[in-house]
Amino acid sequence: MTDKNLTVQNEKSLATGDNLRERYVAPAVDIFETDEGLTFMADVPGMSKDDLRVDINNGILTIEGRAGSETPGKRIYSEFAPAGYYRQFHLPELLDGDKAQAELQAGVLTLHLPKVEAARPKRIEIKTIH
């Protein structure tokens, strides 16, 4: 597989009830390929398992993390607003999204996407004939 089979989309902006825009940043992602599949490692510091959503829909992998602000009292002035995370990838058809697995440890989301069986390399055994 080449990197031409994987495309990236990072645009997202959501309007909230008070017409402020929810901020998103694209998390840094490393992608590794093995004979078995792809592994995505996304840097999402400050996110918990409940803050993150990972979906595959119509061949598009979406990683989204909602940032929350848990400060007591009514905000009267603000220059700091936590940003959420948002990143999308168009996946090649040779990946099996139904068997994807994700784990979160120390602010790093690791997603394993196996290749479909037909896309995995196969070694053919050679028999000797006597």
Side-chain angles (χ1 to χ4, degrees):
M1 175 186 336
T2 66
D3 59 349
K4 295 176 185 170
N5 295 330
L6 190 68
T7 57
V8 180
Q9 177 179 332
N10 295 323
E11 303 280 327
K12 183 160 185 176
S13 172
L14 296 176
T16 60
D18 57 2
N19 280 338
L20 294 175
R21 294 223 174 249
E22 195 168 334
R23 293 182 15 187
Y24 284 88
V25 294
V29 174
D30 289 341
I31 304 171
F32 303 92
E33 181 178 15
T34 65
D35 289 343
E36 288 76 38
L38 294 181
T39 299
F40 290 73
M41 297 181 74
D43 190 25
V44 289
M47 292 285 123
S48 71
K49 173 184 158 188
D50 296 331
D51 297 331
L52 287 169
R53 191 187 98 225
V54 179
D55 292 327
I56 298 174
N57 189 7
N58 293 325
I60 299 174
L61 167 67
T62 302
I63 300 170
E64 183 175 5
R66 294 247 182 211
S69 177
E70 299 196 18
T71 54
K74 181 180 178 184
R75 184 180 307 227
I76 57 171
Y77 180 77
S78 177
E79 290 183 338
F80 170 78
Y85 296 101
Y86 186 83
R87 193 88 186 254
Q88 285 189 320
F89 298 89
H90 293 269
L91 300 174
E93 292 180 10
L94 59 86
L95 297 175
D96 189 351
D98 292 334
K99 294 182 181 174
Q101 296 179 344
E103 54 201 46
L104 179 65
Q105 182 178 16
V108 177
L109 173 69
T110 303
L111 176 65
H112 303 281
L113 286 166
K115 292 179 182 175
V116 294
E117 194 64 34
R120 293 182 187 185
K122 302 221 180 341
R123 184 176 178 116
I124 300 171
E125 182 181 340
I126 302 171
K127 297 180 183 180
T128 57
I129 300 175
H130 300 289

